[in-house]
Coordinates of all heavy atoms in Angstrom, one line a residue:
M1 N -11.2 8.7 20.5 CA -10.3 7.7 19.9 C -8.9 8.1 20.4 O -8.5 9.3 20.3 CB -10.3 7.7 18.4 CG -11.4 6.9 17.8 SD -11.1 6.7 16.0 CE -12.6 5.9 15.6
D2 N -8.1 7.1 20.7 CA -6.7 7.4 21.0 C -5.8 7.4 19.7 O -6.3 6.9 18.6 CB -6.1 6.5 22.1 CG -6.0 5.0 21.6 OD1 -6.4 4.7 20.5 OD2 -5.6 4.2 22.4
D3 N -4.6 7.9 19.8 CA -3.7 8.0 18.6 C -3.5 6.6 18.0 O -3.4 6.5 16.7 CB -2.4 8.6 19.0 CG -2.6 10.1 19.4 OD1 -3.6 10.7 19.0 OD2 -1.6 10.6 20.0
E4 N -3.3 5.6 18.8 CA -3.0 4.3 18.2 C -4.2 3.7 17.4 O -4.0 3.2 16.3 CB -2.7 3.3 19.3 CG -2.1 2.0 18.9 CD -1.6 1.1 20.0 OE1 -1.0 1.7 21.0 OE2 -1.9 -0.1 20.0
L5 N -5.4 3.9 17.8 CA -6.5 3.5 17.1 C -6.7 4.3 15.8 O -7.1 3.7 14.8 CB -7.8 3.6 18.0 CG -9.1 3.0 17.4 CD1 -8.9 1.6 17.0 CD2 -10.2 3.2 18.4
L6 N -6.5 5.6 15.9 CA -6.6 6.4 14.7 C -5.6 6.0 13.7 O -5.9 5.9 12.5 CB -6.4 7.9 15.1 CG -7.5 8.6 15.7 CD1 -7.1 10.0 16.2 CD2 -8.7 8.7 14.8
E7 N -4.4 5.7 14.1 CA -3.3 5.3 13.2 C -3.7 4.0 12.5 O -3.5 3.8 11.3 CB -2.0 5.2 13.9 CG -0.8 4.9 13.0 CD -0.4 6.0 12.1 OE1 -0.7 7.2 12.4 OE2 0.2 5.8 11.0
K8 N -4.2 3.0 13.3 CA -4.6 1.7 12.7 C -5.7 1.9 11.7 O -5.6 1.3 10.6 CB -5.0 0.8 13.9 CG -5.4 -0.6 13.4 CD -5.7 -1.5 14.5 CE -5.9 -2.9 14.0 NZ -7.1 -3.5 14.3
N9 N -6.7 2.7 12.0 CA -7.8 3.0 11.1 C -7.3 3.6 9.8 O -7.6 3.2 8.7 CB -8.8 3.8 11.8 CG -10.1 4.0 10.9 OD1 -10.2 3.4 9.9 ND2 -10.9 4.9 11.4
Y10 N -6.4 4.6 10.0 CA -5.8 5.3 8.8 C -5.0 4.3 7.9 O -5.2 4.3 6.7 CB -4.8 6.4 9.3 CG -4.0 6.9 8.1 CD1 -4.6 7.9 7.3 CD2 -2.7 6.5 7.9 CE1 -3.8 8.4 6.2 CE2 -2.0 7.0 6.8 CZ -2.5 8.0 6.0 OH -1.8 8.5 5.0
Q11 N -4.2 3.4 8.5 CA -3.5 2.4 7.8 C -4.4 1.4 7.0 O -4.1 1.1 5.9 CB -2.5 1.7 8.7 CG -1.6 0.8 7.9 CD -0.5 0.2 8.8 OE1 -0.1 0.8 9.8 NE2 0.0 -0.9 8.5
E12 N -5.4 1.0 7.7 CA -6.4 0.1 7.0 C -7.0 0.7 5.8 O -7.1 0.1 4.7 CB -7.4 -0.4 8.0 CG -6.9 -1.4 9.0 CD -8.0 -1.7 10.1 OE1 -9.1 -1.2 10.0 OE2 -7.6 -2.5 11.0
R13 N -7.4 1.9 5.9 CA -8.0 2.7 4.8 C -7.0 2.9 3.7 O -7.3 2.9 2.5 CB -8.7 3.9 5.3 CG -9.9 3.6 6.2 CD -10.8 4.8 6.4 NE -11.0 5.7 5.4 CZ -11.9 5.6 4.4 NH1 -12.7 4.5 4.3 NH2 -12.1 6.5 3.4
L14 N -5.8 3.2 4.1 CA -4.7 3.5 3.1 C -4.5 2.2 2.3 O -4.4 2.2 1.1 CB -3.4 3.9 3.9 CG -2.2 4.0 3.0 CD1 -2.4 5.2 2.0 CD2 -1.0 4.2 3.9
E15 N -4.4 1.1 3.0 CA -4.2 -0.2 2.3 C -5.3 -0.5 1.3 O -5.1 -1.0 0.2 CB -3.9 -1.3 3.3 CG -2.6 -1.2 4.0 CD -2.4 -2.3 5.1 OE1 -3.4 -2.8 5.6 OE2 -1.2 -2.6 5.3
E16 N -6.5 -0.2 1.7 CA -7.7 -0.5 0.8 C -7.5 0.4 -0.4 O -7.8 -0.1 -1.5 CB -9.0 -0.1 1.5 CG -9.4 -1.0 2.6 CD -10.6 -0.5 3.4 OE1 -11.2 0.5 3.1 OE2 -10.9 -1.1 4.5
R17 N -7.2 1.6 -0.3 CA -7.0 2.5 -1.4 C -5.9 2.1 -2.3 O -6.0 2.1 -3.6 CB -6.8 4.0 -1.0 CG -8.1 4.5 -0.3 CD -8.0 6.0 -0.1 NE -6.8 6.3 0.7 CZ -6.8 6.7 2.0 NH1 -8.0 6.7 2.6 NH2 -5.7 6.9 2.7
I18 N -4.8 1.7 -1.7 CA -3.6 1.2 -2.5 C -4.0 0.0 -3.3 O -3.7 -0.1 -4.5 CB -2.4 0.9 -1.6 CG1 -1.9 2.2 -1.0 CG2 -1.3 0.2 -2.4 CD1 -0.9 2.0 0.2
I19 N -4.6 -1.0 -2.7 CA -5.0 -2.2 -3.4 C -6.0 -1.9 -4.5 O -5.8 -2.5 -5.6 CB -5.6 -3.2 -2.4 CG1 -4.5 -3.7 -1.4 CG2 -6.3 -4.4 -3.1 CD1 -5.0 -4.4 -0.2
A20 N -6.9 -1.0 -4.3 CA -7.9 -0.7 -5.4 C -7.1 0.0 -6.5 O -7.4 -0.3 -7.7 CB -9.0 0.2 -4.9
K21 N -6.1 0.8 -6.2 CA -5.4 1.5 -7.3 C -4.5 0.5 -8.0 O -4.4 0.6 -9.3 CB -4.5 2.6 -6.7 CG -3.8 3.5 -7.6 CD -4.8 4.2 -8.5 CE -4.0 5.1 -9.5 NZ -4.9 5.7 -10.5
I22 N -3.9 -0.4 -7.3 CA -3.1 -1.5 -8.0 C -4.0 -2.3 -9.0 O -3.6 -2.5 -10.1 CB -2.4 -2.4 -7.0 CG1 -1.3 -1.6 -6.3 CG2 -1.8 -3.6 -7.7 CD1 -0.7 -2.4 -5.1
A23 N -5.2 -2.6 -8.5 CA -6.1 -3.4 -9.3 C -6.5 -2.6 -10.6 O -6.5 -3.2 -11.7 CB -7.4 -3.7 -8.6
E24 N -6.7 -1.3 -10.4 CA -7.0 -0.5 -11.6 C -5.8 -0.3 -12.5 O -6.0 -0.5 -13.7 CB -7.5 0.9 -11.1 CG -7.7 1.9 -12.1 CD -8.0 3.3 -11.6 OE1 -8.6 3.4 -10.5 OE2 -7.5 4.3 -12.2
T25 N -4.7 -0.1 -12.0 CA -3.5 0.2 -12.8 C -3.1 -1.1 -13.5 O -2.7 -1.0 -14.7 CB -2.3 0.6 -11.8 OG1 -2.7 1.8 -11.2 CG2 -1.0 0.8 -12.6
K26 N -3.1 -2.2 -12.9 CA -2.6 -3.4 -13.5 C -3.8 -4.2 -14.2 O -3.5 -5.3 -14.8 CB -1.9 -4.3 -12.5 CG -0.7 -3.7 -11.9 CD 0.0 -4.6 -10.9 CE 0.8 -5.7 -11.5 NZ 1.8 -5.4 -12.5
N27 N -5.0 -3.7 -14.1 CA -6.2 -4.3 -14.6 C -6.3 -5.8 -14.2 O -6.4 -6.7 -15.0 CB -6.1 -4.2 -16.2 CG -7.5 -4.5 -16.8 OD1 -8.5 -4.3 -16.1 ND2 -7.5 -5.0 -18.0
I28 N -6.3 -5.9 -12.8 CA -6.4 -7.3 -12.2 C -7.5 -7.2 -11.2 O -8.0 -6.1 -10.8 CB -5.1 -7.7 -11.6 CG1 -4.6 -6.7 -10.5 CG2 -4.0 -7.9 -12.6 CD1 -3.3 -7.1 -9.8
S29 N -7.9 -8.4 -10.7 CA -9.0 -8.4 -9.7 C -8.5 -7.8 -8.4 O -7.2 -7.8 -8.1 CB -9.4 -9.8 -9.5 OG -8.4 -10.6 -8.8
L30 N -9.4 -7.5 -7.5 CA -9.0 -7.0 -6.2 C -8.3 -8.0 -5.4 O -7.3 -7.7 -4.7 CB -10.2 -6.5 -5.4 CG -10.8 -5.2 -5.8 CD1 -12.1 -4.9 -5.1 CD2 -9.8 -4.0 -5.6
S31 N -8.7 -9.3 -5.5 CA -8.0 -10.3 -4.7 C -6.6 -10.5 -5.2 O -5.6 -10.7 -4.4 CB -8.8 -11.7 -4.8 OG -8.9 -12.1 -6.1
D32 N -6.4 -10.4 -6.6 CA -5.0 -10.5 -7.1 C -4.2 -9.3 -6.7 O -3.0 -9.4 -6.3 CB -5.0 -10.6 -8.6 CG -5.4 -12.0 -9.1 OD1 -5.4 -12.9 -8.3 OD2 -5.8 -12.1 -10.3
A33 N -4.8 -8.1 -6.7 CA -4.1 -6.9 -6.2 C -3.8 -7.0 -4.7 O -2.7 -6.5 -4.3 CB -5.0 -5.7 -6.5
M34 N -4.6 -7.6 -4.0 CA -4.4 -7.7 -2.5 C -3.1 -8.6 -2.3 O -2.2 -8.3 -1.6 CB -5.6 -8.3 -1.8 CG -5.4 -8.4 -0.3 SD -6.9 -9.1 0.5 CE -8.2 -8.1 0.0
E35 N -3.1 -9.7 -3.1 CA -1.9 -10.6 -3.0 C -0.7 -9.9 -3.4 O 0.4 -10.0 -2.8 CB -2.2 -11.9 -3.8 CG -1.1 -12.9 -3.7 CD -1.4 -14.2 -4.5 OE1 -2.5 -14.4 -4.8 OE2 -0.4 -14.9 -4.8
F36 N -0.8 -9.2 -4.5 CA 0.4 -8.4 -5.1 C 0.9 -7.5 -4.0 O 2.1 -7.4 -3.7 CB -0.1 -7.7 -6.3 CG 1.0 -6.9 -7.0 CD1 1.8 -7.4 -7.9 CD2 1.1 -5.5 -6.6 CE1 2.8 -6.6 -8.5 CE2 2.1 -4.8 -7.2 CZ 2.9 -5.3 -8.2
Y37 N 0.0 -6.7 -3.4 CA 0.3 -5.7 -2.4 C 1.0 -6.3 -1.2 O 2.1 -5.9 -0.8 CB -0.9 -4.9 -2.0 CG -0.6 -4.0 -0.8 CD1 0.2 -2.9 -0.9 CD2 -1.1 -4.3 0.4 CE1 0.5 -2.1 0.2 CE2 -0.8 -3.5 1.5 CZ 0.0 -2.4 1.4 OH 0.3 -1.6 2.5
Y38 N 0.4 -7.3 -0.6 CA 0.9 -7.9 0.6 C 2.2 -8.7 0.4 O 2.9 -9.0 1.4 CB -0.2 -8.8 1.3 CG -1.2 -7.9 2.0 CD1 -2.5 -7.8 1.6 CD2 -0.8 -7.1 3.1 CE1 -3.4 -7.0 2.2 CE2 -1.7 -6.2 3.7 CZ -3.0 -6.2 3.3 OH -3.9 -5.3 3.9
N39 N 2.5 -9.0 -0.8 CA 3.8 -9.6 -1.1 C 4.9 -8.6 -1.5 O 6.0 -9.0 -1.8 CB 3.7 -10.7 -2.2 CG 3.0 -11.9 -1.7 OD1 3.3 -12.5 -0.7 ND2 2.0 -12.4 -2.5
S40 N 4.5 -7.4 -1.4 CA 5.5 -6.3 -1.8 C 6.2 -5.8 -0.5 O 5.7 -5.9 0.6 CB 4.8 -5.1 -2.5 OG 4.0 -4.4 -1.5
S41 N 7.4 -5.3 -0.7 CA 8.1 -4.7 0.4 C 7.5 -3.4 0.8 O 7.7 -2.9 2.0 CB 9.6 -4.5 0.0 OG 9.8 -3.5 -0.9
I42 N 6.7 -2.7 0.0 CA 6.0 -1.5 0.3 C 5.1 -1.8 1.5 O 4.9 -1.0 2.4 CB 5.3 -0.9 -0.9 CG1 6.3 -0.5 -2.0 CG2 4.3 0.2 -0.5 CD1 7.2 0.7 -1.6
A43 N 4.4 -2.9 1.4 CA 3.4 -3.3 2.5 C 4.2 -3.4 3.8 O 3.7 -3.0 4.8 CB 2.7 -4.6 2.1
D44 N 5.3 -4.0 3.8 CA 6.1 -4.2 5.0 C 6.6 -2.8 5.5 O 6.5 -2.5 6.7 CB 7.4 -5.0 4.8 CG 7.0 -6.5 4.5 OD1 6.0 -6.9 4.9 OD2 7.8 -7.1 3.8
K45 N 7.0 -1.9 4.6 CA 7.4 -0.6 5.1 C 6.3 0.2 5.6 O 6.5 0.9 6.6 CB 8.1 0.1 3.9 CG 9.4 -0.5 3.5 CD 9.9 0.2 2.2 CE 11.2 -0.5 1.8 NZ 11.7 -0.1 0.5
I46 N 5.1 0.1 5.1 CA 3.9 0.8 5.6 C 3.6 0.2 6.9 O 3.3 1.0 7.9 CB 2.7 0.7 4.6 CG1 3.0 1.5 3.4 CG2 1.4 1.1 5.3 CD1 2.1 1.3 2.2
A47 N 3.6 -1.1 7.1 CA 3.2 -1.7 8.4 C 4.1 -1.3 9.5 O 3.7 -1.1 10.6 CB 3.2 -3.2 8.2
T48 N 5.4 -1.1 9.2 CA 6.4 -0.7 10.2 C 6.5 0.8 10.4 O 7.1 1.3 11.3 CB 7.8 -1.3 9.9 OG1 8.2 -0.8 8.7 CG2 7.7 -2.8 9.9
G49 N 5.9 1.5 9.4 CA 6.1 3.0 9.4 C 7.4 3.5 9.1 O 7.8 4.6 9.5
L50 N 8.2 2.7 8.3 CA 9.6 3.0 8.0 C 9.6 4.3 7.3 O 9.0 4.5 6.2 CB 10.1 1.9 7.1 CG 11.6 2.0 6.8 CD1 12.5 1.9 8.1 CD2 12.0 0.9 5.8
Y51 N 10.4 5.3 7.8 CA 10.6 6.6 7.2 C 9.3 7.4 7.0 O 9.3 8.3 6.2 CB 11.3 6.5 5.9 CG 12.6 5.8 5.9 CD1 12.8 4.6 5.2 CD2 13.6 6.2 6.8 CE1 14.0 3.9 5.3 CE2 14.8 5.5 6.9 CZ 15.0 4.4 6.1 OH 16.2 3.7 6.2
G52 N 8.2 7.0 7.7 CA 6.9 7.7 7.5 C 6.3 7.5 6.2 O 5.5 8.3 5.7
I53 N 6.7 6.4 5.5 CA 6.2 6.2 4.1 C 4.7 6.1 4.1 O 4.1 6.4 3.0 CB 6.9 4.9 3.6 CG1 6.6 4.8 2.0 CG2 6.4 3.6 4.3 CD1 7.4 3.7 1.4
Q54 N 4.1 5.7 5.1 CA 2.6 5.6 5.2 C 1.9 6.9 5.0 O 0.7 6.9 4.7 CB 2.1 4.9 6.4 CG 2.2 5.7 7.7 CD 3.6 5.6 8.4 OE1 4.6 5.3 7.8 NE2 3.6 5.9 9.7
Y55 N 2.6 8.0 5.0 CA 1.9 9.3 4.9 C 2.0 9.8 3.4 O 1.5 10.9 3.2 CB 2.5 10.3 5.9 CG 2.3 9.8 7.3 CD1 3.3 9.6 8.1 CD2 1.0 9.6 7.8 CE1 3.1 9.1 9.4 CE2 0.8 9.2 9.1 CZ 1.8 8.9 9.9 OH 1.6 8.5 11.1
L56 N 2.7 9.1 2.6 CA 2.7 9.4 1.1 C 1.3 9.2 0.6 O 0.5 8.4 1.1 CB 3.7 8.6 0.4 CG 5.1 8.9 0.6 CD1 6.0 7.9 -0.1 CD2 5.5 10.3 0.3
D57 N 0.9 9.8 -0.5 CA -0.3 9.6 -1.2 C -0.5 8.2 -1.6 O 0.5 7.6 -2.1 CB -0.4 10.6 -2.4 CG -1.7 10.5 -3.1 OD1 -2.7 11.0 -2.6 OD2 -1.8 9.9 -4.2
Y58 N -1.7 7.6 -1.5 CA -1.9 6.2 -1.9 C -1.6 5.9 -3.3 O -1.1 4.8 -3.7 CB -3.3 5.8 -1.6 CG -4.4 6.3 -2.5 CD1 -4.8 5.5 -3.6 CD2 -5.0 7.5 -2.4 CE1 -5.7 5.9 -4.5 CE2 -5.9 8.0 -3.3 CZ -6.3 7.2 -4.3 OH -7.2 7.6 -5.2
K59 N -1.8 6.9 -4.2 CA -1.4 6.7 -5.6 C 0.1 6.5 -5.8 O 0.5 5.7 -6.6 CB -1.9 7.9 -6.5 CG -3.5 7.9 -6.5 CD -3.9 9.2 -7.3 CE -5.4 9.4 -7.2 NZ -5.8 10.7 -7.7
V60 N 0.8 7.3 -5.1 CA 2.3 7.2 -5.1 C 2.7 5.9 -4.6 O 3.6 5.2 -5.2 CB 3.0 8.4 -4.4 CG1 4.5 8.1 -4.2 CG2 2.6 9.7 -5.0
L61 N 2.2 5.4 -3.5 CA 2.5 4.1 -2.9 C 2.2 3.0 -3.8 O 2.9 2.0 -4.0 CB 1.9 4.0 -1.6 CG 2.4 5.0 -0.5 CD1 1.5 5.0 0.7 CD2 3.8 4.6 -0.1
A62 N 1.0 3.1 -4.5 CA 0.6 2.0 -5.4 C 1.6 2.0 -6.6 O 2.0 0.9 -7.0 CB -0.8 2.3 -5.9
Q63 N 2.0 3.1 -7.1 CA 2.9 3.2 -8.2 C 4.3 2.6 -7.8 O 4.9 1.9 -8.5 CB 3.1 4.6 -8.7 CG 3.9 4.7 -10.0 CD 3.2 3.9 -11.1 OE1 2.0 4.1 -11.4 NE2 4.0 3.0 -11.8
L64 N 4.7 3.0 -6.6 CA 6.0 2.4 -6.0 C 5.9 0.9 -6.0 O 6.9 0.2 -6.4 CB 6.3 3.0 -4.7 CG 6.8 4.4 -4.6 CD1 6.8 4.9 -3.1 CD2 8.1 4.6 -5.3
A65 N 4.8 0.3 -5.5 CA 4.7 -1.1 -5.5 C 4.8 -1.7 -6.9 O 5.5 -2.7 -7.1 CB 3.4 -1.5 -4.8
C66 N 4.1 -1.1 -7.8 CA 4.1 -1.6 -9.2 C 5.5 -1.5 -9.8 O 6.0 -2.4 -10.5 CB 3.1 -0.9 -10.1 SG 1.4 -1.2 -9.6
D67 N 6.1 -0.3 -9.6 CA 7.5 -0.1 -10.2 C 8.5 -1.1 -9.6 O 9.3 -1.6 -10.3 CB 7.9 1.3 -9.9 CG 7.2 2.3 -10.7 OD1 6.4 2.0 -11.6 OD2 7.3 3.6 -10.4
Q68 N 8.4 -1.3 -8.3 CA 9.3 -2.2 -7.6 C 9.2 -3.6 -8.1 O 10.1 -4.3 -8.4 CB 9.0 -2.2 -6.1 CG 9.9 -3.1 -5.3 CD 9.5 -3.1 -3.9 OE1 8.4 -3.0 -3.5 NE2 10.5 -3.3 -3.0
A69 N 7.9 -4.0 -8.4 CA 7.7 -5.4 -8.9 C 8.3 -5.5 -10.3 O 8.9 -6.5 -10.7 CB 6.2 -5.7 -8.9
A70 N 8.1 -4.5 -11.1 CA 8.7 -4.5 -12.5 C 10.2 -4.5 -12.4 O 10.9 -5.2 -13.2 CB 8.2 -3.3 -13.3
F71 N 10.8 -3.7 -11.5 CA 12.2 -3.7 -11.4 C 12.8 -5.0 -10.9 O 13.8 -5.4 -11.4 CB 12.6 -2.6 -10.4 CG 14.1 -2.4 -10.2 CD1 14.8 -1.8 -11.2 CD2 14.7 -2.9 -9.0 CE1 16.2 -1.7 -11.0 CE2 16.1 -2.7 -8.9 CZ 16.8 -2.1 -9.8
T72 N 12.2 -5.7 -10.0 CA 12.7 -6.9 -9.5 C 12.6 -8.1 -10.5 O 13.2 -9.1 -10.4 CB 12.1 -7.3 -8.1 OG1 10.7 -7.4 -8.3 CG2 12.4 -6.3 -7.1
K73 N 11.7 -7.9 -11.5 CA 11.5 -9.0 -12.5 C 12.7 -9.0 -13.5 O 13.0 -10.0 -14.0 CB 10.2 -8.7 -13.3 CG 9.0 -9.2 -12.6 CD 7.8 -9.1 -13.6 CE 6.6 -9.7 -13.0 NZ 5.4 -9.5 -13.9
N74 N 13.3 -7.8 -13.7 CA 14.4 -7.7 -14.7 C 15.7 -8.2 -14.1 O 16.0 -8.3 -13.1 CB 14.5 -6.2 -15.1 CG 13.3 -5.8 -15.9 OD1 12.6 -6.6 -16.5 ND2 13.0 -4.5 -15.8

């Protein structure tokens, strides 16, 4: 495997874990968690690799997405 393919595979698995953690944390369905995640700015930052954010633990990233959503509601 080349580096690009490995990175893509890593990112897909990371997103799966983040979505599952969001569903667990917020007690929502996986489809709702998926919509929540992909509408977050965290998803955009991970997709672009901004500041290497994609290498943080998935639990931290899920919490950041949840915290960001709560912050923007206020």
Side-chain angles (χ1 to χ4, degrees):
M1 281 189 184
D2 66 0
D3 290 345
E4 191 173 316
L5 185 57
L6 283 172
E7 186 68 25
K8 184 177 186 231
N9 187 8
Y10 171 79
Q11 187 171 333
E12 287 173 1
R13 294 193 35 86
L14 175 65
E15 289 177 332
E16 290 172 7
R17 291 189 304 256
I18 292 169
I19 291 166
K21 186 64 177 173
I22 290 170
E24 176 188 321
T25 301
K26 297 182 76 54
N27 196 26
I28 58 177
S29 70
L30 284 173
S31 61
D32 287 344
M34 186 180 303
E35 183 177 342
F36 179 91
Y37 170 72
Y38 284 112
N39 285 315
S40 73
S41 68
I42 295 296
D44 293 334
K45 291 174 183 172
I46 290 171
T48 61
L50 188 63
Y51 305 119
I53 194 170
Q54 72 274 22
Y55 299 117
L56 291 174
D57 184 75
Y58 76 94
K59 293 174 188 173
V60 172
L61 293 168
Q63 189 61 51
L64 286 171
C66 291
D67 290 350
Q68 180 184 32
F71 180 74
T72 57
K73 279 185 175 180
N74 295 331

